[in-house]
PDB file of all heavy atoms in Angstrom:
ATOM      1  N   VAL A  13     -23.507  10.056 -20.491  1.00  0.00           N
ATOM      2  CA  VAL A  13     -23.596   9.862 -19.045  1.00  0.00           C
ATOM      3  C   VAL A  13     -24.135   8.467 -18.730  1.00  0.00           C
ATOM      4  O   VAL A  13     -23.645   7.786 -17.822  1.00  0.00           O
ATOM      5  CB  VAL A  13     -24.466  10.962 -18.389  1.00  0.00           C
ATOM      6  CG1 VAL A  13     -24.756  10.648 -16.926  1.00  0.00           C
ATOM      7  CG2 VAL A  13     -23.784  12.313 -18.519  1.00  0.00           C
ATOM      8  N   ALA A  14     -25.118   8.016 -19.484  1.00  0.00           N
ATOM      9  CA  ALA A  14     -25.686   6.678 -19.267  1.00  0.00           C
ATOM     10  C   ALA A  14     -24.627   5.601 -19.472  1.00  0.00           C
ATOM     11  O   ALA A  14     -24.545   4.643 -18.700  1.00  0.00           O
ATOM     12  CB  ALA A  14     -26.869   6.446 -20.201  1.00  0.00           C
ATOM     13  N   ARG A  15     -23.789   5.741 -20.510  1.00  0.00           N
ATOM     14  CA  ARG A  15     -22.707   4.773 -20.741  1.00  0.00           C
ATOM     15  C   ARG A  15     -21.681   4.809 -19.612  1.00  0.00           C
ATOM     16  O   ARG A  15     -21.205   3.778 -19.153  1.00  0.00           O
ATOM     17  CB  ARG A  15     -22.022   5.038 -22.078  1.00  0.00           C
ATOM     18  CG  ARG A  15     -22.763   4.497 -23.279  1.00  0.00           C
ATOM     19  CD  ARG A  15     -21.907   4.539 -24.544  1.00  0.00           C
ATOM     20  NE  ARG A  15     -21.442   5.886 -24.872  1.00  0.00           N
ATOM     21  CZ  ARG A  15     -22.132   6.774 -25.583  1.00  0.00           C
ATOM     22  NH1 ARG A  15     -23.329   6.458 -26.048  1.00  0.00           N
ATOM     23  NH2 ARG A  15     -21.645   7.956 -25.849  1.00  0.00           N
ATOM     24  N   ALA A  16     -21.350   6.015 -19.157  1.00  0.00           N
ATOM     25  CA  ALA A  16     -20.373   6.155 -18.074  1.00  0.00           C
ATOM     26  C   ALA A  16     -20.896   5.526 -16.786  1.00  0.00           C
ATOM     27  O   ALA A  16     -20.154   4.867 -16.053  1.00  0.00           O
ATOM     28  CB  ALA A  16     -20.031   7.625 -17.854  1.00  0.00           C
ATOM     29  N   ARG A  17     -22.175   5.705 -16.506  1.00  0.00           N
ATOM     30  CA  ARG A  17     -22.776   5.116 -15.306  1.00  0.00           C
ATOM     31  C   ARG A  17     -22.875   3.592 -15.454  1.00  0.00           C
ATOM     32  O   ARG A  17     -22.654   2.853 -14.501  1.00  0.00           O
ATOM     33  CB  ARG A  17     -24.152   5.724 -15.046  1.00  0.00           C
ATOM     34  CG  ARG A  17     -24.073   7.181 -14.613  1.00  0.00           C
ATOM     35  CD  ARG A  17     -25.439   7.817 -14.507  1.00  0.00           C
ATOM     36  NE  ARG A  17     -26.201   7.345 -13.362  1.00  0.00           N
ATOM     37  CZ  ARG A  17     -26.120   7.843 -12.137  1.00  0.00           C
ATOM     38  NH1 ARG A  17     -25.284   8.841 -11.892  1.00  0.00           N
ATOM     39  NH2 ARG A  17     -26.871   7.376 -11.171  1.00  0.00           N
ATOM     40  N   ALA A  18     -23.197   3.121 -16.639  1.00  0.00           N
ATOM     41  CA  ALA A  18     -23.323   1.680 -16.883  1.00  0.00           C
ATOM     42  C   ALA A  18     -21.970   0.976 -16.738  1.00  0.00           C
ATOM     43  O   ALA A  18     -21.921  -0.207 -16.388  1.00  0.00           O
ATOM     44  CB  ALA A  18     -23.898   1.426 -18.268  1.00  0.00           C
ATOM     45  N   ALA A  19     -20.885   1.701 -16.953  1.00  0.00           N
ATOM     46  CA  ALA A  19     -19.554   1.107 -16.810  1.00  0.00           C
ATOM     47  C   ALA A  19     -19.304   0.661 -15.370  1.00  0.00           C
ATOM     48  O   ALA A  19     -18.477  -0.212 -15.120  1.00  0.00           O
ATOM     49  CB  ALA A  19     -18.482   2.104 -17.246  1.00  0.00           C
ATOM     50  N   PHE A  20     -20.021   1.234 -14.410  1.00  0.00           N
ATOM     51  CA  PHE A  20     -19.868   0.870 -13.004  1.00  0.00           C
ATOM     52  C   PHE A  20     -20.766  -0.298 -12.578  1.00  0.00           C
ATOM     53  O   PHE A  20     -20.724  -0.701 -11.423  1.00  0.00           O
ATOM     54  CB  PHE A  20     -20.178   2.073 -12.105  1.00  0.00           C
ATOM     55  CG  PHE A  20     -19.062   3.067 -12.021  1.00  0.00           C
ATOM     56  CD1 PHE A  20     -19.091   4.225 -12.775  1.00  0.00           C
ATOM     57  CD2 PHE A  20     -17.979   2.839 -11.188  1.00  0.00           C
ATOM     58  CE1 PHE A  20     -18.071   5.146 -12.690  1.00  0.00           C
ATOM     59  CE2 PHE A  20     -16.944   3.750 -11.097  1.00  0.00           C
ATOM     60  CZ  PHE A  20     -16.992   4.909 -11.856  1.00  0.00           C
ATOM     61  N   ASN A  21     -21.575  -0.833 -13.486  1.00  0.00           N
ATOM     62  CA  ASN A  21     -22.513  -1.901 -13.110  1.00  0.00           C
ATOM     63  C   ASN A  21     -21.825  -3.092 -12.455  1.00  0.00           C
ATOM     64  O   ASN A  21     -22.277  -3.585 -11.429  1.00  0.00           O
ATOM     65  CB  ASN A  21     -23.330  -2.368 -14.319  1.00  0.00           C
ATOM     66  CG  ASN A  21     -24.408  -1.366 -14.683  1.00  0.00           C
ATOM     67  OD1 ASN A  21     -24.725  -0.460 -13.909  1.00  0.00           O
ATOM     68  ND2 ASN A  21     -24.975  -1.523 -15.855  1.00  0.00           N
ATOM     69  N   GLU A  22     -20.747  -3.563 -13.036  1.00  0.00           N
ATOM     70  CA  GLU A  22     -20.050  -4.721 -12.467  1.00  0.00           C
ATOM     71  C   GLU A  22     -19.439  -4.380 -11.105  1.00  0.00           C
ATOM     72  O   GLU A  22     -19.510  -5.162 -10.163  1.00  0.00           O
ATOM     73  CB  GLU A  22     -18.967  -5.217 -13.416  1.00  0.00           C
ATOM     74  CG  GLU A  22     -18.329  -6.503 -12.949  1.00  0.00           C
ATOM     75  CD  GLU A  22     -17.281  -7.011 -13.927  1.00  0.00           C
ATOM     76  OE1 GLU A  22     -17.306  -6.615 -15.107  1.00  0.00           O
ATOM     77  OE2 GLU A  22     -16.449  -7.802 -13.488  1.00  0.00           O
ATOM     78  N   ALA A  23     -18.849  -3.200 -11.004  1.00  0.00           N
ATOM     79  CA  ALA A  23     -18.245  -2.778  -9.736  1.00  0.00           C
ATOM     80  C   ALA A  23     -19.314  -2.604  -8.654  1.00  0.00           C
ATOM     81  O   ALA A  23     -19.053  -2.858  -7.480  1.00  0.00           O
ATOM     82  CB  ALA A  23     -17.471  -1.476  -9.925  1.00  0.00           C
ATOM     83  N   ARG A  24     -20.515  -2.213  -9.039  1.00  0.00           N
ATOM     84  CA  ARG A  24     -21.595  -2.020  -8.049  1.00  0.00           C
ATOM     85  C   ARG A  24     -22.130  -3.350  -7.534  1.00  0.00           C
ATOM     86  O   ARG A  24     -22.682  -3.404  -6.439  1.00  0.00           O
ATOM     87  CB  ARG A  24     -22.738  -1.219  -8.665  1.00  0.00           C
ATOM     88  CG  ARG A  24     -22.393   0.229  -8.804  1.00  0.00           C
ATOM     89  CD  ARG A  24     -23.505   1.080  -9.338  1.00  0.00           C
ATOM     90  NE  ARG A  24     -24.815   0.474  -9.386  1.00  0.00           N
ATOM     91  CZ  ARG A  24     -25.731   0.775 -10.287  1.00  0.00           C
ATOM     92  NH1 ARG A  24     -25.470   1.645 -11.222  1.00  0.00           N
ATOM     93  NH2 ARG A  24     -26.903   0.197 -10.256  1.00  0.00           N
TER      94      ARG A  24
END
Side-chain angles (χ1 to χ4, degrees):
V13 171
R15 280 192 302 274
R17 291 174 72 86
F20 282 100
N21 285 346
E22 187 178 340
R24 285 183 12 211

